[in-house]
Amino acid sequence: MRFQSYDPGEFYDELFVAKGQPRPYAAALIDRINSLSPGDLEIRQEAAKTAMMKLGATFNVYSDSEGTERILPFDLIPRIVSASEWAWLEQGLKQRIHTLNLFIDDIYGEQKIIKDKIIPEELIYSSKGFLKPCMGLKPPKGIWCHITGTDLVRDKEGKWYVLEDNLRCPSGVSYVLENRRVMKTTFPQIFAKLGIQPVDEYPSHLLDALLNLVGDHISNPTVVVLTPGMYNSAYFEHSFLAQQMGVELVEGRDLVVSDGYVQMRTTKGLKRVDVIYRRIDDTFIDPLAFNPESMLGVPGLTEVYRNGRVALANALGTGIADDKVIYAYVPQMIQYYLGEEQILSNVPTYLCWEPKQLEYVLANLDQLVVKAANEAGGYGMLVGTQSTEAERLEFAEKIKANPRNYIAQPTLSLSRVPTLLGDTFEGCHVDLRPYILYGEDIYVHPGGLTRVAMKKGSLVVNSSQGGGSKDTWVLCE
């Protein structure tokens, strides 16, 4: 009985209601694991690690002196989401992405939301994600955020919250697909018994969303994935998705603007490119429009894009919606653009640029999580409950020096999933990043990347900070 001593404690556990009492939809999985011979699960865990290594599912850590490439830690115990709960999450995510797309279109267009004083003008113009050269852009079919990764968490009571939005170059979906491939070989009988929604159709849905951007007059469009190169932290994913979609993986030096179009260098000469799935941040994509020192992008690309002669996914300028200060206004956006109440709630958020809220944040740093508005990967963050007084004093000075750049949120007791650490199960905190594609309509991929803090007690799930991943099982009706 492997789970005999496992105690979910006071946290919401994704697989157990209480000690020795699995959730109904997890009972078959728990029974299967309990039936394994001693040491069998550890052998399977090691086999999964070897399989990941052979698949080459790596990521890079730029600050790691021991070497740049690592295998993303993977834990065999999956997270399970019931069919009814997933249907509700799907509805909430579609509402949110629809709203954010309308917001980005408005901000680079008529700016009605500013004129109607729903969002202060200075917050938009002071955001690092707001790109003035994108004013007046009209992306194909009015779609800006074609690929989104929205981070969700659950609290102690099991309530879901949106933690943040990722609309520039969201990564991680390759691990969703590879995790599932490994799990199918590890627990084949369970897959047959439970009825788990498949995830392997993501590349075809992604390609459909990209081809949706091409005009009907182009009969045989060329799609490429634009990568910064092999030293990028998500290069494995760039090459994986290009290979799965059957399209070319290119770097900036492989593309050139010629005759008013973006062209790809090939052994047979130049070939016109119609859609670019870009995995390069906005400011590096065109040295003529943004950062003149960028060696990664394509000079002149923005002008071709503005003229409607190439499509980009995601559109330039979507980073405005990644700003964690702008995130705080999404409930108002949903009401403003759709006339609806939000389905998925934001985490309660304090805005440090507002004097009274700043005062509260500085007085309660030991209880709050403070985040920089435009940082990612767990950087630029203070977890108050796990910080020292010296760290809080240092962070307080940063906030006071640039209050616009910081938000604060209560420390949520994130839900947990049993995780194999050594030869015992520990409840480890998780979040969930579902992937949403905006093509002909909005498609929410079933499941997503469950990231797990693989250090006991840690709340930081990011891979760059020692986190790992789990397979996410969304059950069929």
Side-chain angles (χ1 to χ4, degrees):
M1 293 287 287
R2 292 302 304 264
F3 285 102
Q4 195 169 9
S5 60
Y6 179 74
D7 185 358
E10 60 185 20
F11 297 94
Y12 185 94
D13 194 277
E14 300 285 343
L15 299 186
F16 282 87
V17 179
K19 188 174 181 180
Q21 187 184 346
R23 297 190 181 278
Y25 51 74
L29 172 69
I30 303 304
D31 288 346
R32 177 73 186 114
I33 293 170
N34 281 336
S35 72
L36 296 175
S37 308
D40 193 356
L41 193 64
E42 287 78 4
I43 291 168
R44 292 176 190 227
Q45 178 73 61
E46 200 56 39
K49 184 179 175 182
T50 304
M52 284 291 187
M53 206 168 287
K54 285 180 179 174
L55 288 168
T58 61
F59 69 99
N60 292 343
V61 180
Y62 303 122
S63 58
D64 187 1
S65 58
E66 295 177 13
T68 56
E69 279 203 319
R70 289 189 197 166
I71 298 294
L72 183 68
F74 174 66
D75 184 71
L76 275 183
I77 311 303
R79 174 204 217 125
I80 303 178
V81 183
S82 69
S84 58
E85 192 161 42
W86 183 255
W88 176 79
L89 286 173
E90 192 174 25
Q91 192 182 358
L93 289 166
K94 285 182 177 181
Q95 180 196 54
R96 193 173 183 94
I97 299 311
H98 184 198
T99 300
L100 288 173
N101 193 74
L102 291 171
F103 164 71
I104 299 165
D105 195 54
D106 185 20
I107 284 301
Y108 292 114
E110 294 183 46
Q111 299 193 332
K112 290 179 181 176
I113 200 165
I114 294 175
K115 291 168 186 169
D116 289 337
K117 301 191 183 314
I118 307 298
I119 294 181
E121 183 178 36
E122 63 268 26
L123 289 188
I124 299 296
Y125 290 119
S126 62
S127 173
K128 289 181 183 176
F130 176 74
L131 301 179
K132 208 167 183 181
C134 294
M135 287 299 295
L137 274 179
K138 299 289 181 190
K141 303 189 178 178
I143 303 171
W144 295 75
C145 46
H146 312 89
I147 303 106
T148 306
T150 301
D151 291 344
L152 306 177
V153 292
R154 269 205 222 250
D155 69 0
K156 206 179 215 175
E157 280 70 48
K159 182 180 177 182
W160 289 96
Y161 290 93
V162 176
L163 190 63
E164 63 182 55
D165 303 291
N166 298 282
L167 284 84
R168 276 171 294 188
C169 305
S171 62
V173 75
S174 57
Y175 303 116
V176 174
L177 306 181
E178 295 293 48
N179 288 354
R180 178 58 56 86
R181 198 183 299 190
V182 170
M183 285 296 283
K184 276 185 168 178
T185 61
T186 307
F187 292 115
Q189 302 94 331
I190 291 291
F191 273 89
K193 188 173 183 179
L194 273 185
I196 298 159
Q197 291 195 37
V199 299
D200 49 5
E201 293 176 359
Y202 180 86
S204 62
H205 283 288
L206 174 59
L207 185 57
D208 285 346
L210 297 174
L211 290 172
N212 180 59
L213 301 175
V214 181
D216 295 336
H217 61 286
I218 301 172
S219 58
N220 191 21
T222 298
V223 178
V224 299
V225 176
L226 176 60
T227 176
M230 64 182 293
Y231 296 109
N232 183 265
S233 61
Y235 181 72
F236 162 75
E237 175 156 300
H238 305 165
S239 56
F240 175 85
L241 290 174
Q243 183 264 327
Q244 292 289 306
M245 288 191 289
V247 304
E248 291 291 337
L249 178 70
V250 298
E251 296 180 31
R253 61 191 175 184
D254 300 318
L255 302 178
V256 63
V257 170
S258 177
D259 297 329
Y261 291 93
V262 176
Q263 312 254 15
M264 175 171 55
R265 293 185 172 96
T266 74
T267 53
K268 296 178 180 177
L270 295 179
K271 182 180 182 183
R272 178 176 156 179
V273 172
D274 303 295
V275 184
I276 299 174
Y277 174 25
R278 53 113 181 176
R279 297 298 297 258
I280 294 179
D281 276 351
D282 303 42
T283 52
F284 289 95
I285 204 162
D286 180 355
L288 298 184
F290 302 108
N291 183 352
E293 296 180 7
S294 173
M295 303 291 287
L296 301 174
V298 185
L301 171 63
T302 307
E303 191 59 30
V304 180
Y305 179 52
R306 185 178 286 279
N307 291 333
R309 293 182 167 187
V310 71
L312 289 176
N314 282 346
L316 299 178
T318 52
I320 181 66
D322 285 5
D323 187 308
K324 293 176 178 65
V325 175
I326 303 301
Y327 150 95
Y329 288 87
V330 173
Q332 291 95 309
M333 290 180 203
I334 292 171
Q335 185 66 55
Y336 180 74
Y337 291 114
L338 303 182
E340 299 171 0
E341 292 298 316
Q342 61 179 357
I343 296 169
L344 276 168
S345 299
N346 275 11
V347 177
T349 301
Y350 300 97
L351 300 169
C352 294
W353 72 275
E354 293 193 356
K356 282 189 177 178
Q357 295 189 39
L358 172 63
E359 191 179 327
Y360 176 84
V361 169
L362 293 174
N364 294 276
L365 279 177
D366 59 332
Q367 300 166 41
L368 299 169
V369 176
V370 186
K371 301 174 183 175
N374 290 283
E375 293 282 351
Y379 296 103
M381 185 167 86
L382 176 81
V383 180
T385 55
Q386 299 178 0
S387 65
T388 64
E389 189 175 351
E391 287 170 337
R392 291 194 294 275
L393 286 170
E394 184 187 343
F395 224 86
E397 292 307 312
K398 288 182 184 177
I399 297 168
K400 285 187 272 188
N402 187 4
R404 160 63 178 87
N405 195 44
Y406 290 94
I407 64 159
Q409 297 170 331
T411 307
L412 296 181
S413 297
L414 301 185
S415 67
R416 303 197 307 187
V417 180
T419 302
L420 192 61
L421 299 182
D423 59 356
T424 59
F425 288 118
E426 295 284 353
C428 289
H429 297 291
V430 292
D431 75 355
L432 177 64
R433 178 178 289 182
Y435 295 89
I436 306 99
L437 299 174
Y438 200 150
E440 205 168 316
D441 49 24
I442 300 175
Y443 164 77
V444 182
H445 191 239
L449 183 65
T450 289
R451 299 184 299 178
V452 54
M454 296 186 80
K455 294 175 185 173
K456 189 175 178 179
S458 173
L459 293 171
V460 183
V461 299
N462 305 81
S463 55
S464 54
Q465 306 281 315
S469 71
K470 291 173 172 283
D471 195 10
T472 309
W473 293 0
V474 174
L475 303 182
C476 299
E477 288 288 353

